[in-house]
Amino acid sequence: MNLAQQEAVNYLHGPCLVLAGAGSGKTRVITHKIARLIQSGMEARRIAAITFTNKAAAEMRERAKGLIGKAAKDVVICTFHALGVRMLRQDGAALGLKPAFSILDADDVTSILKDAGGTVDAATARQWQWTISAWKSAGHNAAQALAAAEGENERVAAMVMARYEDRLTAYQSVDFDDLISLPLKLLQNHEHVRHKWQALMGHILVDEYQDTNATQYEMLKLLAGGHAPASARFTAVGDDDQSIYGWRGATLDNLKKLPVDFPSLKVITLEQNYRSTSAILRAANNVIGPNPKLYPKNLWSDLGEGEPVRVVDADTEEHEAERAVARIQSLRAEGTLAQAGQQYKEFRDFALLYRANHQSKPFEKALRKANIPYKVSGGQSFFDRAEIRDLCAWFRLWANNDDDPAFLRAVTTPKRGIGHQTLGTLGQYASRYKLSLFEALFSPSLGAALSNKSLGSLHEFGRYVNDLEFRARHTQGAELASTFLSEWLKEIGYEKHLLDSEESDKIAAAKWSNVLEFCDWIAQRCGGQTSGVDGISEQEVKSLLEVSQTIALLSTIQEREADQNVVTLSTLHAAKGLEWPHVLLVGVTEGMLPFKMDDDTSASAQSERLQEERRLMYVGITRAQRSLAVSWTRRRKKGREMVAALPSRFIAEMALDQNTVKEDPRAKLKALRAEFAQRAKESELLAAQRR
């Protein structure tokens, strides 16, 4: 480790902020600090390392295990949301939550908001969803939101929020924002809970600190001992230049507050970059330069000057895509000529990064045409597939009978002779007596509202769910879980349901394959063969019911993410935290990056947005290790029209040497092919002479 990294690792006695520039080894600092804390005498179970994604948590857990061995299994390494789940499962009763509460996904939330707001328009419900999420991230409840509402739209959203919160309480369910806001309420309003968790947390390390929102900051303050700022036990690791999630509540105010709330805060800056060449870092430093600095820093590298950063101009997006493909081909061919072997020449070594998802289409077409394999990062999550959501609804229902959205999906998928009229009557009855649908199903007086046949079908379904819950509670380990899930799928006839509902047998077979893969993955979790999202020991065997309760917290199946040898296409937001030897930043035009802002936006808001867009460009540049090309088009599609475009102001801000940056990859590729042909010709002549 370098001196700055060593200082960060060895500082154990108070609050610490590590400003880790891109590629400066922040994960190394966090894992080594965990080892140092254990070495100093702190119990591993009293150390918590908190990050923002399951993938980052898994990587950190692996690196910690490699460094400190068995002790790593006791360290709590998880996301903020997973920590929130753990706190609510243990102490949520103080807020009226039972331990088996459900975690709703975005589609469930939209559905409930439609009902709460009396609309069938999904776009309106999603707008309420974003507004309510922003209020929750800022720490507001429905009453506070109504008091602060500006204009009629916000007043309506605040009233919908009140009805939405009532429904969540009735369903014994929480949304993702609640996984932070409710634990914060526990810490603020229940002293015994606060003391318990403060005692459990000997030292907290927060990764990607610049991405925290207001409620996460308050939660951290209370957990780390905010009552005694001088001895607060935390290490925040982040980079103000990489704060790109303002649109989802992340705020740089949290960096500004730290030295105010913790006057003894130790600030350590990591400026040595281990990822990129000097040419790439110079462009990055130049781009971020105009932004105001909370803590000044200047990235540097000892990896040498490297290839100059290239700017590629094109006529249209299709032309830009052709040039991108030509660049990939020429770099791969060039490496062979230079006798550099295959290092950094595999398809996996290349990434095309853009501002918005819709920009990928011309690049996908061009890559397919050139027979270059690729993947679109940030595409549909495995858990977003209809067949997986069907099974998750069943899991959620047997884990929490009060989960009405899960009830409605499970009772109708596959169909079991319970129609919409029966469910409508059940819903009215449940609403009248303030019961969940599952509770209402067994009510003695429900028979007065339904026919014997309908009542019998509902009772049969209810008994079956109770039976599944009992069996899932007593099914432990991978083998038993696999057998259970296989029998259950036969019992509900799910494969037949897929064959009946899909137009083609091929699609049904693909979905069935996903179902089997998902069930196999669930069984492995029961056997303790995969790391838990809540930081619990990997070796711990769990019941199927326990695993069911964590399903909604997982955004991806990490075990599926094999290292494929393909080119990556990704948005800049999704690329954060990743790196590739060769990066092509594409579509870098004014109006796209920086993104065009509304004319009625205030000057201060426009200034803040521009600063965040500049940070997004900085993040894109610093993903590159060995080579970087930035491309723009003179014309781009806007709807069905072609409009004139200009290069982004950020290209000029990179302050590149104009003599070396212009590049036509097609000309380069043509020259390489000519060179190959010439060498082949010379070889043939030489062979002929020998004969």
Side-chain angles (χ1 to χ4, degrees):
M1 288 189 292
N2 62 42
L3 291 174
Q5 289 174 328
Q6 286 177 14
E7 185 181 15
V9 166
N10 291 325
Y11 188 79
L12 307 178
H13 305 297
C16 180
L17 171 63
V18 181
L19 287 160
S24 62
K26 67 181 177 64
T27 307
R28 181 180 176 84
V29 165
I30 292 171
T31 50
H32 275 76
K33 189 152 190 175
I34 291 170
R36 183 74 184 86
L37 285 161
I38 292 172
Q39 190 183 41
S40 73
M42 185 170 287
E43 293 176 86
R45 64 184 180 82
R46 296 188 65 229
I47 302 169
I50 305 172
T51 186
F52 278 82
T53 66
N54 295 322
K55 188 175 180 181
E59 182 194 344
M60 197 178 291
R61 195 178 294 113
E62 279 304 306
R63 287 174 69 167
K65 192 166 80 170
L67 189 65
I68 56 180
K70 289 182 180 177
K73 70 182 174 61
D74 296 323
V75 179
V76 178
I77 302 177
C78 64
T79 64
F80 266 105
H81 292 92
L83 179 62
V85 170
R86 182 185 280 205
M87 293 173 70
L88 290 174
R89 295 267 186 235
Q90 290 187 27
D91 296 298
L95 300 173
L97 270 181
K98 64 182 185 182
F101 63 83
S102 293
I103 304 165
L104 302 180
D105 63 25
D107 281 359
D108 293 324
V109 170
T110 305
S111 175
I112 295 169
L113 283 171
K114 281 186 191 173
D115 179 49
T119 183
V120 293
D121 183 35
T124 302
R126 280 195 295 271
Q127 188 59 55
W128 288 334
Q129 193 171 344
W130 295 328
T131 305
I132 290 168
S133 178
W135 279 330
K136 286 190 176 186
S137 294
H140 299 327
N141 59 27
Q144 291 166 325
L146 185 58
E150 295 178 7
E152 184 61 18
N153 287 344
E154 284 197 1
R155 279 199 332 101
V156 170
M159 289 189 284
V160 170
M161 182 178 179
R163 295 194 286 270
Y164 170 67
E165 287 185 340
D166 287 343
R167 281 164 172 75
L168 291 194
T169 302
Y171 300 160
Q172 280 288 300
S173 298
V174 299
D175 61 25
F176 264 53
D177 294 309
D178 290 328
L179 296 179
I180 307 298
S181 60
L182 292 181
L184 178 58
K185 280 183 187 171
L186 272 176
L187 295 171
Q188 287 172 330
N189 304 331
H190 299 275
E191 192 176 357
H192 70 287
V193 176
R194 181 168 67 251
H195 288 163
K196 168 189 168 179
W197 285 95
Q198 284 177 345
L200 283 171
M201 299 286 164
H203 197 99
I204 303 172
L205 301 105
V206 182
D207 188 20
E208 304 287 10
Y209 177 75
Q210 77 282 346
D211 294 336
T212 54
N213 61 32
T215 49
Q216 286 164 335
Y217 177 67
E218 293 301 320
M219 184 174 162
L220 169 66
K221 240 169 62 171
L222 287 170
L223 283 173
H227 59 287
S231 58
R233 310 169 305 276
F234 72 82
T235 301
V237 183
D239 181 7
D240 51 332
D241 289 333
Q242 295 188 72
S243 179
I244 58 172
Y245 296 113
W247 47 276
R248 70 180 190 200
T251 173
L252 280 175
D253 286 345
N254 290 353
L255 273 167
K256 295 174 188 173
K257 285 176 183 174
L258 273 180
V260 177
D261 291 340
F262 302 92
S264 61
L265 181 74
K266 175 82 168 174
V267 180
I268 299 166
T269 304
L270 305 184
E271 295 178 295
Q272 183 174 356
N273 174 287
Y274 293 92
R275 175 188 299 160
S276 309
T277 61
S278 296
I280 292 167
L281 292 183
R282 192 162 51 251
N285 287 329
N286 289 340
V287 160
I288 205 65
N291 271 10
K293 292 285 183 288
L294 288 172
Y295 301 96
K297 66 177 177 303
N298 196 56
L299 292 182
W300 61 275
S301 166
D302 61 4
L303 296 176
E305 176 63 16
E307 282 286 306
V309 176
R310 308 289 181 181
V311 173
V312 182
D313 54 1
D315 296 327
T316 64
E317 285 140 318
E318 286 71 27
H319 184 207
E320 182 182 32
E322 287 171 17
R323 288 196 151 189
V325 167
R327 178 171 174 81
I328 292 169
Q329 290 172 325
S330 69
L331 280 170
R332 295 185 81 232
E334 195 176 49
T336 311
L337 286 183
Q339 297 181 334
Q342 287 303 303
Q343 190 181 23
Y344 306 133
K345 306 302 171 189
E346 299 289 336
F347 287 123
R348 66 168 63 89
D349 297 328
F350 293 83
L352 280 77
L353 308 182
Y354 37 79
R355 176 67 175 77
N357 278 309
H358 69 81
Q359 291 175 276
S360 74
K361 288 179 183 175
F363 297 96
E364 290 189 64
K365 286 180 184 174
L367 288 165
R368 280 200 298 268
K369 186 178 175 184
N371 289 319
I372 293 177
Y374 69 90
K375 66 175 180 181
V376 180
S377 185
Q380 187 187 40
S381 160
F382 195 72
F383 280 84
D384 287 337
R385 298 175 190 273
E387 61 273 23
I388 305 305
R389 287 172 56 77
D390 287 344
L391 304 193
C392 286
W394 281 86
F395 292 164
R396 280 168 43 196
L397 184 60
W398 71 48
N400 171 20
N401 296 157
D402 293 329
D403 188 337
D404 280 4
F407 178 97
L408 289 170
R409 189 162 189 137
V411 79
T412 55
T413 314
K415 288 184 170 56
R416 50 193 315 116
I418 299 173
H420 290 299
Q421 276 191 318
T422 299
L423 291 173
T425 304
L426 177 67
Q428 290 165 4
Y429 183 92
S431 181
R432 186 185 314 141
Y433 294 105
K434 294 188 168 29
L435 301 169
S436 71
L437 293 170
F438 195 84
E439 283 179 307
L441 179 158
F442 288 113
S443 179
S445 57
L446 180 63
L450 288 170
S451 69
N452 287 339
K453 184 182 177 186
S454 297
L455 190 64
S457 297
L458 284 173
H459 283 171
E460 184 186 350
F461 176 71
R463 284 192 293 270
Y464 183 54
V465 170
N466 281 335
D467 179 53
L468 287 173
E469 179 189 352
F470 177 83
R471 286 158 57 193
R473 189 185 302 278
H474 294 89
T475 298
Q476 289 199 330
E479 193 175 335
L480 290 176
S482 183
T483 303
F484 175 103
L485 292 169
S486 179
E487 289 173 357
W488 167 61
L489 289 171
K490 284 178 190 167
E491 287 167 6
I492 64 173
Y494 195 77
E495 186 177 15
K496 184 177 185 303
H497 159 74
L498 289 176
L499 286 165
D500 291 344
S501 29
E502 293 302 330
E503 290 180 10
S504 100
D505 289 351
K506 190 176 179 183
I507 294 173
K511 290 193 170 192
W512 180 242
S513 175
N514 288 337
V515 166
L516 295 178
E517 184 178 354
F518 176 68
C519 289
D520 182 54
W521 180 78
I522 292 290
Q524 286 177 24
R525 293 192 77 82
C526 293
Q529 293 175 32
T530 57
S531 53
V533 294
D534 50 7
I536 292 174
S537 162
E538 294 177 17
Q539 284 74 40
E540 188 175 333
V541 173
K542 294 181 183 177
S543 75
L544 187 55
L545 193 68
E546 286 176 293
V547 171
S548 300
Q549 291 172 353
T550 67
I551 291 299
L553 196 62
L554 302 168
S555 57
T556 57
I557 297 183
Q558 289 149 7
E559 287 76 6
R560 289 172 52 81
E561 295 178 7
D563 183 22
Q564 301 165 286
N565 188 21
V566 296
V567 173
T568 299
L569 275 64
S570 172
T571 63
L572 288 164
H573 283 101
K576 186 166 170 292
L578 304 175
E579 59 189 76
W580 294 269
H582 307 292
V583 168
L584 292 83
L585 281 183
V586 299
V588 188
T589 58
E590 281 293 305
M592 188 53 70
L593 183 66
F595 208 71
K596 188 178 186 307
M597 291 165 229
D598 296 332
D599 294 332
D600 57 356
T601 307
S602 69
S604 63
Q606 286 204 16
S607 175
E608 283 183 19
R609 279 283 305 279
L610 180 60
Q611 288 169 26
E612 181 157 320
E613 292 289 305
R614 187 176 281 113
R615 293 194 292 268
L616 196 55
M617 180 74 176
Y618 173 84
V619 164
I621 293 170
T622 53
R623 299 311 92 200
Q625 297 171 320
R626 294 291 175 270
S627 82
L628 172 68
V630 180
S631 68
W632 64 282
T633 59
R634 293 181 182 82
R635 292 177 296 152
R636 65 184 178 90
K637 276 184 187 153
K638 191 175 181 183
R640 294 185 177 180
E641 295 179 7
M642 292 293 285
V643 296
L646 293 169
S648 166
R649 69 193 75 180
F650 299 148
I651 293 178
E653 287 179 3
M654 286 195 295
L656 303 169
D657 177 1
Q658 297 303 312
N659 296 321
T660 62
V661 298
K662 293 291 180 185
E663 178 181 77
D664 183 346
R666 291 177 305 175
K668 197 172 182 180
L669 190 59
K670 192 175 178 182
L672 283 166
R673 283 173 178 155
E675 189 178 336
F676 271 126
Q678 181 62 33
R679 289 192 176 200
K681 196 173 180 182
E682 288 171 1
S683 295
E684 284 176 16
L685 282 170
L686 195 62
Q689 287 169 1
R690 283 176 182 158
R691 286 197 295 272

